[in-house]
Amino acid sequence: MLDVISSAWRFTIRLKAAFLPVNHPFNERDLSSLPELPEIEHLRQTLLEPLVGQRVLMARLRRSDVLRRSSPGRADQLLLSGQTMLDLRRRGKQLAIIGDAGVICVHLGMSGQLFLTDRSRFGHSEHVHAVWSITSPTGPRRLVFRDPRRFGGLWSFESIDQLESTRWHRLGPDAVAIRSRDFADRLQRTRRPIKTALLDQAVIAGVGNIYADESLHRARVHPERPACELQRAEVTRVASAVRDVLRHAIRAGGSTLRDYRDGSGNAGEFQSAHLVYGRGGEACTSCGHVLTLIRLAQRATVFCERCQPRTF
DNA sequence: CCGGACTCCTGTGCGC
DNA sequence: TGCGCACAGGAGTCCG
């Protein structure tokens, strides 16, 4: 029997899924499913229609430490049991499910997944930490939160105001919306390497390791350059690159990291949107120079010494 | 106050 | 072939 999960909802399914059973719901260790801002925004857009206006019939928390509470209460009630879902909002890489009497903030971390299914057995699948039973025009349906590495989690709040004042207030402007001027002001305040600043969610919300490297390569800025020493033109290039790379990824349906285009049938085409990430030691696609791999802020960092010179 | 280092966790993939 | 270890990552926390 074919899985009834709509392909649009299975945002975790990627190229390698072709080698899995059709109804295999998970796809471990696929770099392209690393949940960064574009994946979260894609998730928000695809969940909006099936969730908003629907009611949570029941909520189950299978691992209590996955839910961080801002107020006491029964887990199922903190997880919006009995409430109608009114909206989905995103800030950086975080997604808020807004109920009529509470809010759940979802963070997918490294390996988190949030998906809809009509199957009823997910509560017993591995690493599934929360399951919501919700209404739909065609009968009850489940929303599943799964996170093998548990770098992600769920945060409960009494209201969106409380979420914004106690959690989201620490986040900088959203990476797809930030203005170059605001960005420049924020970079001016730190001597840290530009890449470290990009990864700091308090500076700008939503940039992860992959898109930081991709953006800096596109902007032709060396990742170790002190943020406050960037020229105005360079800051503008970085800001534009971040916006462009993320927007392009959102338009591509959650990831530019997918290796094939829908309907192209060209399965052997591995010309992906990765220009540098994961390509240390390979040739730069712009100039042919060998890409350099270093560790910066405890993260693998790949760049081209010729396209991204250290000195300006 | 700032920035660097450490920590959590598990699947993967490499080397022996 | 199999085992074991190093590695990957986001972000909170701690310490100098």
Side-chain angles (χ1 to χ4, degrees):
Chain A
M1 185 180 84
L2 267 182
D3 196 334
V4 285
I5 305 170
S6 155
S7 61
W9 297 331
R10 289 182 302 172
F11 86 110
T12 55
I13 302 296
R14 292 297 184 263
L15 184 64
K16 280 190 258 176
F19 304 105
L20 296 171
V22 171
N23 65 349
H24 196 290
F26 312 133
N27 188 15
E28 301 290 353
R29 193 58 193 167
D30 184 345
L31 282 180
S32 62
S33 68
L34 269 176
E36 294 220 32
L37 185 150
E39 286 74 21
I40 310 301
E41 177 57 21
H42 179 67
L43 187 61
R44 191 189 71 83
Q45 290 173 9
T46 53
L47 287 177
L48 211 45
E49 196 269 324
L51 293 193
V52 170
Q54 302 300 330
R55 204 163 63 85
V56 177
L57 296 167
M58 193 168 60
R60 284 233 174 88
L61 183 66
R62 295 192 63 215
R63 261 198 84 106
S64 61
D65 60 355
V66 164
L67 177 65
R68 330 292 160 90
R69 305 145 186 260
S70 64
S71 57
R74 268 171 38 200
D76 66 317
Q77 289 173 344
L78 295 175
L79 290 176
L80 315 183
S81 189
Q83 295 184 40
T84 297
M85 293 173 281
L86 303 178
D87 198 8
L88 296 177
R89 285 190 213 167
R90 180 189 61 76
R91 181 83 175 267
K93 302 173 200 167
Q94 302 181 33
L95 184 69
I97 303 172
I98 301 171
D100 57 46
V103 171
I104 284 292
C105 178
V106 182
H107 197 294
L108 298 182
M110 271 287 295
S111 59
Q113 302 167 320
L114 188 66
F115 58 92
L116 276 168
T117 176
D118 285 357
R119 299 201 306 188
S120 57
R121 295 284 180 99
F122 271 98
H124 305 286
S125 302
E126 268 207 304
H127 307 304
V128 166
H129 307 311
V131 180
W132 293 263
S133 180
I134 64 169
T135 57
S136 90
T138 55
R141 171 189 275 176
R142 278 150 200 267
L143 179 67
V144 176
F145 174 65
R146 180 173 183 271
D147 185 15
R149 289 178 215 183
R150 278 181 277 139
F151 276 26
L154 305 171
W155 283 257
S156 68
F157 296 93
E158 292 168 9
S159 65
I160 186 71
D161 285 345
Q162 190 192 30
L163 165 61
E164 288 185 343
S165 64
T166 64
R167 184 169 171 80
W168 282 4
H169 73 101
R170 285 180 299 224
L171 298 176
D174 195 80
V176 289
I178 195 164
R179 295 164 170 275
S180 300
R181 187 57 176 269
D182 190 9
F183 195 25
D185 291 344
R186 290 169 165 275
L187 294 182
Q188 207 81 70
R189 297 179 212 152
T190 180
R191 295 199 55 77
R192 284 184 293 170
I194 176 65
K195 173 165 176 183
T196 310
L198 283 180
L199 291 177
D200 186 345
Q201 304 298 298
V203 173
I204 177 171
V207 180
N209 199 41
I210 296 173
Y211 291 112
D213 279 5
E214 296 300 323
S215 300
L216 288 172
H217 182 263
R218 177 182 282 231
R220 307 190 305 280
V221 170
H222 193 291
E224 291 182 301
R225 294 273 304 283
C228 61
E229 289 176 13
L230 293 190
Q231 309 286 321
R232 172 69 62 175
E234 294 177 300
V235 172
T236 303
R237 288 208 304 273
V238 174
S240 303
V242 167
R243 273 196 311 262
D244 292 349
V245 165
L246 293 176
R247 283 181 182 166
H248 181 255
I250 291 169
R251 275 200 303 275
S255 180
T256 51
L257 316 178
R258 233 181 310 200
D259 307 296
Y260 76 100
R261 289 174 210 85
D262 294 333
S264 75
N266 198 354
E269 177 70 73
F270 283 97
Q271 185 68 36
S272 83
H274 274 105
L275 295 184
V276 286
Y277 183 80
R279 298 191 60 241
E282 296 178 31
C284 172
T285 51
S286 298
C287 74
H289 196 262
V290 176
L291 294 172
T292 303
L293 169 65
I294 61 171
R295 271 195 96 70
L296 181 55
Q298 284 82 50
R299 299 286 174 267
T301 299
V302 183
F303 65 101
C304 174
E305 289 177 358
R306 192 183 288 170
C307 296
Q308 300 162 262
R310 179 184 296 274
T311 51
F312 189 64

